[in-house]
């Protein structure tokens, strides 16, 4: 069995990468400055940042592969205009491709999108297609709030998003719903904005009929689904009040949660409430919460440890650690099969 972590970000990218971003931001403030150029980052610099961080922890914690994307908090779609966002996005995605090329057994790519507030999402289709068809990526991170905490975009069920969904279905790739940094002082980025977005996305799916129009569309809601599992009765009740079909047929054929929940009781609840077929192992390690839990002596984001404590059958353990990821990310499954790993049929 492979242990596939569905939620990883390049939070430790070489400093030169951030220097490029800083130069972009400086030019927004002072257009007289020269257009910044991408830095020359060597393979050794990438190796140093990966081998002392994500790859080291992957091995120490007993996992095999991470579905890897650019750092979410620095997507910052609200910074600059569409051209700035596109240049930054392409630089971020190309860097992920280099990581994957250096460590093809351990990482596979998921792309950032060049979203900007007020810009049609159709303008992000070309980058998705480039990343999937040219770079070999298996999915994308879709920001439901490019405004950075002010929520100026329409709900995810609105036809505003349909051109992008059509391309997702055509390419057979899922999207992880993932906001970026918050520029609203009311919402701490990782402690409030992220969890708000996860919960908001789920409620939007309940209110709409998106999956009637796109029955093959697939979304991963990260961070354990935000507040949803904890308030499962609320959402079941709201679906009933709104005359929506029951959640298993209305939403949960198309929506999946990861296990980025950083304590054992939270994981226990997630697995008690949500069907095993809708849960993918994820850790977001070297991410939002990097410290050691003083109550356990273990890293908060060592989520495999929590799953290992569950009384799962062999089949269910396979589903959560490997099988569900292969089903939700068909291009990942195809890549593994091309390497001679056909997985298991359940």
């Amino acid at each position: 069995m492979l242990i596939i972590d569905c939620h990883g970000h390049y939070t430790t990218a070489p400093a030169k990468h951030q220097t490029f971003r800083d130069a972009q931001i400086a030019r927004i403030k002072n257009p007289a400055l020269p257009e910044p150029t991408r830095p020359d980052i060597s393979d050794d610099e990438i190796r140093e940042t990966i081998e002392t961080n994500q790859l080291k922890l992957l091995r120490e914690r007993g996992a095999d592969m991470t579905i890897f994307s650019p750092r979410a908090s620095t997507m910052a779609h609200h910074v600059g205009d569409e051209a700035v966002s596109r240049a930054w996005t392409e630089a971020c995605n190309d860097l992920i491709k280099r990581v994957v090329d250096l460590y093809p057994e351990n990482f596979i790519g998921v792309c950032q999108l060049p979203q900007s507030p007020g810009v049609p999402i159709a303008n992000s289709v070309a980058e998705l297609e480039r990343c999937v068809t040219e770079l070999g990526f298996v999915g994308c991170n879709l920001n439901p709030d490019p405004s950075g905490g002010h929520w100026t975009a329409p709900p995810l069920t609105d036809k505003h998003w349909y051109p992008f969904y059509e391309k997702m279905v055509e390419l057979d790739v899922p999207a992880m719903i993932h906001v970026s940094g918050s520029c609203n002082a009311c919402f701490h980025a990782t402690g409030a904005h992220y969890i708000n977005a996860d919960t908001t996305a789920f409620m939007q799916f309940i209110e709409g009929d998106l999956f009637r129009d796109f029955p093959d569309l697939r979304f991963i809601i990260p961070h354990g689904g935000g507040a949803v599992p904890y308030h499962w009765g609320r959402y079941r009740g709201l679906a009933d009040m709104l005359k929506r079909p029951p959640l298993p047929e209305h939403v949960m054929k198309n929506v999946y949660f990861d296990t980025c929940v950083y304590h054992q009781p939270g994981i226990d609840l997630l697995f008690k409430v949500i069907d095993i077929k809708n849960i993918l192992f994820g850790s977001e390690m070297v991410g939002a919460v990097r410290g050691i839990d003083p109550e356990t002596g273990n890293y908060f984001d060592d989520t495999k440890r929590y799953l290992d404590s569950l009384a799962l059958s062999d089949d269910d353990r396979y589903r959560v650690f490997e099988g569900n990821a292969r089903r939700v990310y068909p291009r990942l499954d195809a890549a593994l099969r091309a390497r001679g790993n056909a997985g298991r049929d359940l």
Side-chain angles (χ1 to χ4, degrees):
M1 179 178 68
L2 285 178
I3 310 296
I4 301 171
D5 186 338
C6 78
H7 191 168
H9 300 297
Y10 198 1
T11 55
T12 61
K16 291 178 184 177
H17 184 59
Q18 184 59 45
T19 299
F20 170 68
R21 180 59 165 172
D22 292 342
Q24 273 195 319
I25 294 171
R27 190 169 186 268
I28 294 168
K29 298 175 181 177
N30 180 7
L33 291 172
E35 183 79 34
T37 58
R38 288 200 212 175
D40 182 14
I41 298 173
S42 70
D43 286 353
D44 283 344
E45 288 175 290
I46 294 174
R47 289 189 184 98
E48 181 181 1
T49 61
I50 290 292
E51 291 183 8
T52 58
N53 293 289
Q54 285 87 355
L55 187 58
K56 175 176 178 286
L57 293 176
L58 198 70
R59 290 167 172 166
E60 288 179 353
R61 298 178 184 181
D64 299 296
M65 171 178 276
T66 296
I67 299 175
F68 206 49
S69 63
R71 186 175 187 173
S73 62
T74 58
M75 294 189 299
H77 295 117
H78 57 279
V79 174
D81 58 16
E82 184 179 7
V84 169
S85 184
R86 184 170 301 281
W88 173 236
T89 294
E90 290 173 355
C92 290
N93 289 334
D94 289 347
L95 195 57
I96 293 296
K97 170 61 173 172
R98 291 184 63 189
V99 172
V100 173
D101 286 347
L102 288 170
Y103 304 98
E105 299 297 319
N106 304 111
F107 298 95
I108 197 159
V110 160
C111 68
Q112 175 177 322
L113 298 170
Q115 299 175 245
S116 290
V119 174
I121 190 62
N123 293 16
S124 290
V125 166
E127 181 64 3
L128 175 67
E129 191 156 35
R130 180 183 82 94
C131 288
V132 172
T133 63
E134 297 179 23
L135 305 188
F137 287 13
V138 299
C140 63
N141 289 338
L142 180 66
N143 187 350
D145 174 36
S147 70
H150 292 289
W151 290 92
T152 58
L156 289 167
T157 52
D158 190 272
K159 291 190 177 180
H160 162 86
W161 302 92
Y162 277 30
F164 192 80
Y165 296 158
E166 289 166 1
K167 182 57 66 172
M168 284 176 58
V169 171
E170 177 189 326
L171 295 172
D172 201 13
V173 295
M176 178 172 281
I177 302 298
H178 211 308
V179 289
S180 184
S182 171
C183 60
N184 185 333
C186 295
F187 302 118
H188 181 276
T190 56
H193 186 40
Y194 282 19
I195 307 303
N196 290 348
D198 304 332
T199 310
T200 297
F202 191 82
M203 189 63 211
Q204 289 176 1
F205 293 148
I206 291 176
E207 291 182 277
D209 288 300
L210 177 62
F211 304 122
R212 180 189 62 192
D213 292 344
F214 294 96
D216 297 323
L217 204 59
R218 298 181 303 281
F219 293 106
I220 303 92
I221 297 182
H223 320 116
V228 173
Y230 189 70
H231 291 282
W232 191 243
R234 175 180 291 259
Y235 295 107
R236 288 177 51 241
L238 285 168
D240 182 65
M241 290 172 60
L242 293 169
K243 308 302 180 186
R244 304 283 86 188
L247 294 183
E249 62 183 87
H250 184 50
V251 176
M252 299 308 288
K253 292 179 181 179
N254 305 81
V255 173
Y256 305 84
F257 299 159
D258 72 12
T259 63
C260 294
V261 178
Y262 295 151
H263 66 149
Q264 190 68 52
I267 288 289
D268 294 346
L269 182 139
L270 175 66
F271 277 77
K272 184 175 181 179
V273 172
I274 302 302
D275 193 295
I276 200 80
K277 72 178 185 299
N278 292 94
I279 302 175
L280 280 65
F281 169 62
S283 73
E284 201 177 11
M285 62 184 179
V286 201
V289 182
R290 305 186 186 189
I292 293 175
D293 185 345
E295 295 181 6
T296 66
N298 301 312
Y299 282 95
F300 283 103
D301 62 7
D302 186 1
T303 56
K304 182 177 179 294
R305 185 182 297 272
Y306 308 135
L307 272 64
D308 288 342
S309 296
L310 299 176
L312 298 178
S313 68
D314 288 345
D315 284 349
D316 282 348
R317 193 166 296 277
Y318 172 78
R319 288 184 177 95
V320 173
F321 281 122
E322 179 179 353
N324 291 345
R326 297 177 74 134
R327 179 165 50 85
V328 175
Y329 292 86
R331 288 177 177 268
L332 167 63
D333 181 59
L336 293 173
R337 288 178 182 274
R339 300 175 192 175
N341 184 334
R344 291 167 51 187
D345 293 324
L346 294 179

